[in-house]
Amino acid sequence: MPRIQQLTPSVVNKIAAGEVIERPASVLKELLENSVDAGATRIDVSLEKGGSEVIRVADNGCGIVADELPLAIASHATSKIRSADDLFSVRTLGFRGEALASIAEVSRLVIRSRTAEADSGAELEVVGGVANPAAPIGCPIGTTIEVRNLFFNTPVRHKFMRSAQTEMGHSVEALTRLALAHPQVHFTLSHNGRMMHDLPPVPSIRGRIAAFFGDELANDLIEVHSSNDGVSLSGFVANPMHSRATARMQYLFLNGRAIRDRALQHALGEAYRGLMLTGRQPICFLRLEMPAELVDVNVHPTKQEVRFQDSGRLYSLLLGTLRTKFLSTDLQARGSASSAAGMGPIGTDDASAGPSELVNWAKEQLGRQVAQQSSITFPQVTESRVPPYRPHEPLRLHSLDEPRRATVDVGSGVARPNVGPAEPTADDSGSAGSGTLSATHADVRFDAVHDRLPAPRGLAAMQNALQVHDRYLVVETEIGLEVIDQHALHERILYEQIREKVLAGAMESQKLLVPEPVDLTATEAAAALEHADVLATLGVEIQPFGGETVLVSSYPAMLANLSPAEVLREIVDKLLGGGRQPETRDLIDELLHMIACKAAVKFGDRLSPEEIDALLTQRHLAQDQHHCPHGRPTALIFTREDLDRQFKRI
Ligand code: ADP
Ligand code: MG
């Protein structure tokens, strides 16, 4: 039997280093945090080979008393907390007293430091955890820490270091986070002797965002600010035309510390839902400030994750703030050739990403001749002339005070017996008339909605629309002309209407006289039956029918142009689509998209004047008429002035 033995401090430190120090960037992060904690107003960073050879951080902070230098590199030695109780009121970035000990264990480290009171400074050198005696040295007030040859004595770790370029990327990221979290501090960064960033103190981080990510993004930020019960949220989110393939550009700072939080990331995604192409991630730079007691930062060795006392409230605060902001902001797709030129990828994660994608798309849609004539620029889209639609009653999913509850309501299923439609207008579902788009496309009735919401004035003038190529509607407006994607717009309108109905438990379904058996594979049948409740909220009623057969007894009235089997197959595709178990809320949303897409007029459908009329009239009923549910724009606007300019009339 092996005997139990106490590990030596050196082994303990190596183990701790394994947790905290993954690569040069982790060292840089710890050193920067110490400098910020020391109250530095200026921090100079120099790196060699991305930090794998040298990481030097010099600050003008409070310094370390000469006698205490050996303690600074001892494990579990800190000046930041005294007792366990202090853990719940930490205002500093560090408190574990482990970083310097860990770093010193796996590198050659030199600390030079001087406090304001001392006449001279002191220097301490540690090689692989073994310290030489401290010696006096002349140096300015503050601390300089130099870390060379990281992992020189831990070959396994050393092997995991990547190219200087990769390590540099991570190091810049570490600096970015600290510099965004602490705009009051002057930071500089030089690499291999070359100055890369000089960031003087700034009142707003917009300037720092520009320095790290370029003006293009910085100019398209939406400022947000709100507070609730001692918790404040402030910062910037990007216009939805900017997006990324990953969540990497979602910067979230809690009391000056960069954190990752899945719930808050989710809230962010929810806020942008429908404004962005599916699969894309929004960009944000948001600061949360709250009393230290409301959060436990001691749950993760590098403190990247924290535990909130009331994460539900933060979720609501974030989602509510952004939704309110977006409702009052014109997020209409913009694009100009001049800005497109500068719209290169900002991150390295996705060269095909972002705004250029949107502009390219728009160009494609408008025809190649236009795009190829370099003299023709895309006009800047100007404010839409019709005021944004404001629902008389708040949309249920958008309920700003209680976004959380609203989603829970969906999740728990607002299933209602769908024997026949609920709305008074249900019986004349097939009838044509004003407000009915077309019985051939979909039996969608807007009469009920019309009763509540009289169409905005002045619409009559808009009705002389021209349909081109069976896909676009060209409309003269007061400021110029508008090119509308008929499918995208109709899809958006239907999506919002269906969503409202589903959330109200009032989705019209059509009961089949003879339920239709649909043959599926075993996996498909299981998936469908498992989600029977969710499907019921969408008006799709199914039962097991033995084996792999599922019986459809009712399905959404507006999908009358499809067979029940087609509808079920589409749904099953969505259920099994992602390869993962989707959350109920996401699932419902996907199915709403699917239904809206199927029910909407197609790209390529010839529309009658009445249909065009109905579509344009209903346009103003959509809360976000500028984007289809997938986030594509529904319309492009060309101002008269722009046209005049293109034709050289002005
Ligand atoms: P922690 O930051 O968790 O306290 P560290 O190992 O990072 O632990 O640092 C140990 C101690 O060394 C700190 O508590 C602090 O007193 C001192 N120290 C480290 N870096 C600096 C610095 N740049 N300026 C002043 N004091 C520092
Ligand atoms: Mg520290």
Side-chain angles (χ1 to χ4, degrees):
M1 208 52 181
R3 297 213 327 279
I4 300 177
Q5 281 182 334
Q6 187 71 52
L7 297 173
T8 64
S10 164
V11 178
V12 171
N13 287 344
K14 279 220 176 64
I15 292 172
E19 265 189 335
V20 184
I21 310 300
E22 193 193 343
R23 61 184 349 142
S26 352
V27 172
L28 180 58
K29 165 184 181 282
E30 295 294 338
L31 298 184
L32 289 172
E33 290 189 351
N34 281 345
S35 295
V36 169
D37 282 348
T41 55
R42 173 160 185 147
I43 304 176
D44 297 294
V45 178
S46 33
L47 306 173
E48 307 268 329
K49 296 218 172 150
S52 45
E53 293 216 329
V54 182
I55 303 162
R56 187 184 312 109
V57 174
D59 69 48
N60 63 355
C62 65
I64 304 171
V65 179
D67 295 350
E68 294 183 1
L69 276 182
L71 266 180
I73 53 137
S75 62
H76 308 302
T78 177
S79 56
K80 299 171 192 173
I81 58 168
R82 290 283 173 262
S83 70
D85 287 347
D86 294 347
L87 273 180
F88 302 100
S89 54
V90 231
R91 299 278 335 173
T92 49
L93 297 169
F95 57 80
R96 294 163 58 104
E98 265 183 328
L100 288 187
S102 303
I103 297 166
E105 191 67 38
V106 294
S107 68
R108 299 174 216 274
L109 177 143
V110 177
I111 310 183
R112 242 168 264 137
S113 193
R114 184 184 145 199
T115 62
E117 295 75 34
D119 298 333
S120 70
E123 181 183 85
L124 177 75
E125 191 183 3
V126 199
V127 178
V130 182
N132 297 321
I137 190 175
C139 64
I141 294 169
T143 306
T144 299
I145 299 190
E146 192 175 280
V147 176
R148 289 180 176 271
N149 309 127
L150 185 65
F151 300 137
F152 80 96
N153 57 349
T154 46
V156 180
R157 276 285 152 130
H158 197 263
K159 243 185 24 211
F160 279 101
M161 275 208 286
R162 297 286 163 246
S163 67
Q165 199 187 355
T166 302
E167 296 305 341
M168 188 57 190
H170 289 279
S171 296
V172 171
E173 178 67 23
L175 178 82
T176 304
R177 291 185 184 194
L178 262 290
L180 289 175
H182 299 278
Q184 78 286 358
V185 178
H186 188 163
F187 287 91
T188 67
L189 169 67
S190 60
H191 187 216
N192 300 337
R194 233 189 78 233
M195 179 68 87
M196 289 185 66
H197 283 295
D198 184 357
L199 307 162
V202 278
S204 157
I205 63 165
R206 200 191 273 265
R208 292 222 160 151
I209 296 171
F212 286 115
F213 305 106
D215 289 334
E216 200 67 55
L217 175 65
N219 291 338
D220 267 331
L221 295 174
I222 300 162
E223 188 161 10
V224 294
H225 184 85
S226 67
S227 60
N228 171 295
D229 245 345
V231 178
S232 87
L233 170 73
S234 62
F236 298 92
V237 296
N239 182 298
M241 72 194 290
H242 296 274
S243 69
R244 288 291 179 276
T246 69
R248 252 193 41 204
M249 289 267 292
Q250 295 174 1
Y251 290 91
L252 206 55
F253 303 100
L254 166 71
N255 296 345
R257 185 192 305 282
I259 58 158
R260 294 260 161 224
D261 186 88
R262 290 188 55 138
L264 292 179
Q265 270 177 16
H266 192 270
L268 189 70
E270 283 293 294
Y272 277 85
R273 182 185 285 281
L275 297 175
M276 208 165 248
L277 295 172
T278 2
R280 305 294 298 175
Q281 293 282 348
I283 296 171
C284 75
F285 306 89
L286 291 170
R287 308 165 65 91
L288 276 166
E289 301 288 336
M290 66 179 71
E293 312 72 87
L294 295 185
V295 53
D296 186 355
V297 288
N298 188 30
V299 294
H300 190 265
T302 63
K303 310 175 199 91
Q304 266 214 48
E305 281 163 33
V306 298
R307 193 180 295 129
F308 295 109
Q309 217 172 64
D310 189 352
S311 92
R313 206 177 91 202
L314 294 180
Y315 186 100
S316 307
L317 179 69
L318 179 55
L319 182 55
T321 305
L322 296 189
R323 283 256 168 93
T324 313
K325 190 72 195 181
F326 290 166
L327 279 177
S328 62
T329 308
D330 189 0
L331 298 172
Q332 194 158 5
R334 282 186 300 115
S336 67
S338 55
S339 61
M343 278 175 181
I346 296 160
T348 47
D349 55 345
D350 46 2
S352 67
S356 46
E357 189 179 79
L358 199 63
V359 171
N360 287 340
W361 180 87
K363 283 182 178 174
E364 218 170 85
Q365 305 300 309
L366 281 169
R368 306 208 177 268
Q369 310 96 303
V370 176
Q372 276 158 9
Q373 283 172 357
S374 55
S375 63
I376 298 189
T377 57
F378 271 76
Q380 194 79 3
V381 165
T382 336
E383 209 185 320
S384 165
R385 104 190 148 85
V386 182
Y389 159 64
R390 290 275 178 278
H392 292 185
E393 36 178 67
L395 280 181
R396 283 159 203 91
L397 191 76
H398 278 227
S399 165
L400 295 175
D401 330 313
E402 311 172 287
R404 202 82 208 264
R405 239 202 52 209
T407 52
V408 169
D409 282 352
V410 182
S412 62
V414 279
R416 52 180 284 280
N418 45 7
V419 192
E423 306 230 352
T425 52
D427 288 340
D428 45 69
S429 66
S431 78
S434 77
T436 301
L437 189 49
S438 161
T440 59
H441 293 301
D443 295 335
V444 187
R445 297 172 308 278
F446 300 106
D447 315 44
V449 186
H450 272 251
D451 292 345
R452 278 193 289 120
L453 296 156
R457 294 283 72 217
L459 271 180
M462 272 194 67
Q463 307 306 301
N464 40 31
L466 175 72
Q467 188 188 27
V468 293
H469 297 292
D470 296 342
R471 43 188 69 179
Y472 301 113
L473 305 177
V474 180
V475 182
E476 179 185 353
T477 69
E478 256 163 34
I479 59 158
L481 67 87
E482 202 166 352
V483 182
I484 297 167
D485 177 330
Q486 61 184 41
H487 174 73
L489 175 61
H490 194 205
E491 195 181 12
R492 181 79 218 183
I493 295 168
L494 291 179
Y495 168 75
E496 289 192 11
Q497 288 177 337
I498 305 168
R499 184 176 61 185
E500 242 194 296
K501 285 185 181 163
V502 167
L503 290 173
M507 180 76 173
E508 296 97 339
S509 71
Q510 176 169 315
K511 198 147 185 82
L512 293 169
L513 270 179
V514 182
E516 184 166 321
V518 181
D519 293 328
L520 301 169
T521 69
T523 325
E524 290 170 343
L529 292 168
E530 190 187 325
H531 291 94
D533 281 359
V534 177
L535 301 193
T537 65
L538 297 164
V540 180
E541 222 168 13
I542 55 171
Q543 282 114 35
F545 192 59
E548 275 105 63
T549 306
V550 170
L551 212 52
V552 181
S553 49
S554 64
Y555 72 112
M558 62 174 62
L559 291 183
N561 56 333
L562 300 179
S563 77
E566 278 174 286
V567 174
L568 186 61
R569 292 227 162 79
E570 287 283 345
I571 290 175
V572 165
D573 276 352
K574 292 284 175 230
L575 290 177
L576 298 172
R580 66 194 156 93
Q581 191 74 293
E583 274 186 48
T584 310
R585 182 178 41 238
D586 296 338
L587 182 61
I588 291 191
D589 203 59
E590 276 214 45
L591 294 177
L592 291 179
H593 283 168
M594 190 273 282
I595 295 174
C597 181
K598 290 282 165 202
V601 294
K602 300 281 167 297
F603 204 62
D605 277 350
R606 173 68 49 91
L607 303 183
S608 71
E610 293 73 31
E611 289 169 335
I612 294 175
D613 237 41
L615 183 54
L616 293 178
T617 308
Q618 284 144 21
R619 170 170 203 195
H620 307 280
L621 303 179
Q623 194 188 49
D624 179 355
Q625 47 165 291
H626 301 318
H627 298 85
C628 81
H630 306 290
R632 287 194 301 269
T634 57
L636 297 171
I637 293 179
F638 298 81
T639 66
R640 200 190 67 193
E641 215 180 57
D642 274 314
L643 294 173
D644 289 349
R645 200 175 303 121
Q646 307 287 357
F647 285 108
K648 313 264 184 252
R649 298 232 166 244
I650 48 172

